[in-house]
Amino acid sequence: EIVLTQSPATLSLSPGERATLSCRASQSVSGYVAWYQHKPGQAPRLLIYDVSNRATGIPDRFSGRGSGTDFTLTISSLEPEDFAVYYCQQRSNWPPDTFGQGTRLEIK
Amino acid sequence: QVQLVESGGGVVQPGKSLTLSCAASGFTFSTYSMHWVRQAPGKGLEWVALISHGGTSKYYADSVKGRFTISRDNSKNTLYLHISSLRAEDTAVYYCSRDFGELVVRYYMDVWGKGTKVTVSS
C-alpha cells in the first residue's frame, strides 16, 4: 500500500504570496499524481493530473512538478479564492487508499 | 452543463441499509467510469468504490468491501451506492465523481457532485 504524506498540514499565507505544497509517497508512483482543491460545502475540483498537466479551466498560476516519490503543487500568486484544502492523489497502485491527508491553505 | 447531483443521505440507525443515488447530466454517462468518494467529519477524502462505464467491473476500498455495492443504470444516467450494515464510522459526506477518462479508466476524478451527508446514529 502506498501512503501519501502531505506537508505542511496548514500553510498560512497572504494574497499575492507564493504557495508551495508538498506530497511525498512511501514508494515511487511514477508520473501518476493529481492535485485537487476542496472548499467547505463545495465539490472538490481537479487541478493537476499526471504530475504537471492542468485540468480544463485551471488558471496557469497553478503548477505541478515532481517525480518518483516527491511532488509539489505551486500557486504562483495567491488569489483570495485559492484558500482551501488541497489533496494529492496517486493512481500508480490501484485500488488502495489513494489520497493524501490534505494541506489547509489559510489566509494569514 | 456537466453536472452530478447526489441524493439519498440522511440519519440512519446502525445496522440499517441505505442507497445513495447520483444523477448525471450534460455528458454521455454510459462512456465514463464513475467513483464514490467520502469525507468523514474532520477528515480527508477517502476513495470508496469505482464502476466501469458498462458496469461490468467494480472495485472497492478494503474498508467497505462486503458491505458496499456500487451499481449504475445507464438508461437513467444514474449511479448508485448501496450501503448495508451501517456503522458509526460510515458517517460522512458521500461524493460521486466522474473518472477523467472516456471509455478507459484514468483513475483521476474530473467532475464531482456536492455530496450527500450520511449520519449513522441511534
Side-chain angles (χ1 to χ4, degrees), chain A residues 32 36 38 43 50 89 91, chain B residues 39 95 106-109 113:
Chain A
Y32 301 125
Y36 298 84
H38 192 199
D50 289 345
Q89 180 215 358
R91 54 142 288 185
Chain B
Q39 183 177 34
Y95 298 95
R106 292 291 303 275
Y107 303 104
Y108 303 131
M109 302 146 209

Side-chain angles (χ1 to χ4, degrees), chain B residues 61-122:
Chain B
D62 287 345
S63 59
V64 307
K65 208 172 288 184
R67 294 191 303 117
F68 285 31
T69 303
I70 189 172
S71 62
R72 65 190 298 160
D73 186 337
N74 287 344
S75 68
K76 296 182 178 179
N77 291 342
T78 303
L79 175 72
Y80 303 99
L81 184 69
H82 179 73
I83 309 173
S84 62
S85 302
L86 275 154
R87 305 169 179 169
E89 54 264 36
D90 296 322
T91 295
V93 176
Y94 285 76
Y95 298 95
C96 71
S97 58
R98 187 182 80 172
D99 190 84
F100 186 55
E102 187 169 14
L103 294 175
V104 59
V105 186
R106 292 291 303 275
Y107 303 104
Y108 303 131
M109 302 146 209
D110 67 339
V111 180
W112 296 67
K114 292 186 176 181
T116 186
K117 186 174 182 179
V118 174
T119 302
V120 183
S121 174
S122 55

